[in-house]
Amino acid sequence: MTTRNEKTNEGKREESDAAKAATSNGPSSDEFWGPDLYPERRGAKVERSWFNLLIGASGRESVDKARCEANVYKCIKNSPIVKLMLAALKSSGCEVDMRRHISCEVCNPIVSGGYDSEFNQVVICQNTVSSASIIQGVLLHELIHMFDFCRNKLDVKNIDHIACTEIRAANLAHCSFISSLIQGHSSFFNIKASHQNCVKNKAKLSIMNVHKVSDEVASAAIERVFTKCYNDLEPIGRRLRRNSEDMPRAYAEAFLYGYEA
């Protein structure tokens, strides 16, 4: 599960359907994390050239890490949508400790974050994201994956499970109409279909980026589970519109569904 770099308590909402997308059609490889995208996760070293050191393009890892961690802390304290996700995870038995479950690291420049299900950690790419607003989006995306793994015990070798959680993350965290319009995935004609196309495209890119499958395999998995997973809005309860009050409203309603910090 990755974010591509682009500048059962009574009263809860209906339980997430992410694990109910069934058939196992994924590749047989045990490797689903993509070590080339997050090289230091499994003990590899990031290659740094002398030229990049001379021009200041590398060698700032400690500064970038401190800035990233400060922005993560700011989001955890101030962002209503991040606080909602943390409350939902806590109420589901998966409380998040920033020091244990969120890690700022150097990544491949094509990604801005990821969720490592083996270590149950969200990765924020300190070298590709810098502002708190962008980190908020990365956190939301990856915490949706963490929520799906917590509540539904997803199988990382089942590509339909992976497709479902990527659909949910794109639907809830990325494809607002304005952002998808800017990126060329939407138009003012047939807005519903345009939004669905944005979600499918985002999910497909994420699957292909990490799991090394073809466009056809990723697209087929998305189509098999799309309707069920697209309509699963747990735990946010709505698709977020840019420059709206959707985030604070969703957080304000959280206690009604048992999501309390």
Side-chain angles (χ1 to χ4, degrees), residues 1 17-26 145 148-149 152-168 207 211 221 224-225 229:
M1 277 56 65
D17 289 321
K20 300 174 185 176
T23 59
S24 180
N25 297 289
H145 291 323
D148 287 348
F149 273 83
N152 299 298
K153 313 303 180 189
L154 301 191
D155 180 1
V156 297
K157 298 180 182 180
N158 187 326
I159 197 170
D160 285 10
H161 287 200
I162 301 304
C164 190
T165 192
E166 293 294 356
I167 289 166
R168 283 178 24 78
I207 295 168
H211 308 313
R224 284 194 296 269
V225 302
C229 301

Side-chain angles (χ1 to χ4, degrees), residues 73-100:
Y73 180 80
K74 185 185 298 184
C75 288
I76 287 174
K77 289 297 181 181
N78 301 323
S79 168
I81 202 63
V82 172
K83 290 194 289 185
L84 169 57
M85 290 304 306
L86 295 177
L89 281 157
K90 181 179 180 180
S91 72
S92 301
C94 300
E95 185 170 3
V96 174
D97 182 331
M98 174 181 168
R99 296 164 296 180
R100 161 64 180 85

Side-chain angles (χ1 to χ4, degrees), residues 238-253:
R238 67 192 74 203
R239 296 180 180 94
L240 303 174
R241 297 167 298 171
R242 180 176 286 189
N243 300 323
S244 74
E245 294 299 312
D246 286 346
M247 290 188 186
R249 284 173 182 161
Y251 179 60
E253 295 169 358

Side-chain angles (χ1 to χ4, degrees), residues 178-246:
I178 296 300
S179 64
S180 61
L181 179 67
I182 292 171
Q183 295 166 32
H185 303 310
S186 295
S187 72
F188 289 104
F189 304 98
N190 200 351
I191 292 174
K192 181 178 180 180
S194 297
H195 182 268
Q196 292 181 358
N197 288 337
C198 175
V199 171
K200 288 179 180 180
N201 186 66
K202 284 276 190 181
K204 181 177 69 174
L205 289 175
S206 292
I207 295 168
M208 293 174 63
N209 217 23
V210 175
H211 308 313
K212 311 303 181 187
V213 297
S214 67
D215 185 304
E216 292 77 12
V217 170
S219 295
I222 289 168
E223 292 300 330
R224 284 194 296 269
V225 302
F226 186 79
T227 300
K228 179 176 289 186
C229 301
Y230 180 75
N231 291 322
D232 181 3
L233 305 180
E234 187 75 19
I236 297 172
R238 67 192 74 203
R239 296 180 180 94
L240 303 174
R241 297 167 298 171
R242 180 176 286 189
N243 300 323
S244 74
E245 294 299 312
D246 286 346

Side-chain angles (χ1 to χ4, degrees), residues 88-118:
L89 281 157
K90 181 179 180 180
S91 72
S92 301
C94 300
E95 185 170 3
V96 174
D97 182 331
M98 174 181 168
R99 296 164 296 180
R100 161 64 180 85
H101 297 108
I102 303 175
S103 177
C104 290
E105 299 180 12
V106 177
C107 313
N108 186 306
I110 69 170
V111 293
S112 56
Y115 173 64
D116 187 338
S117 59
E118 181 179 348

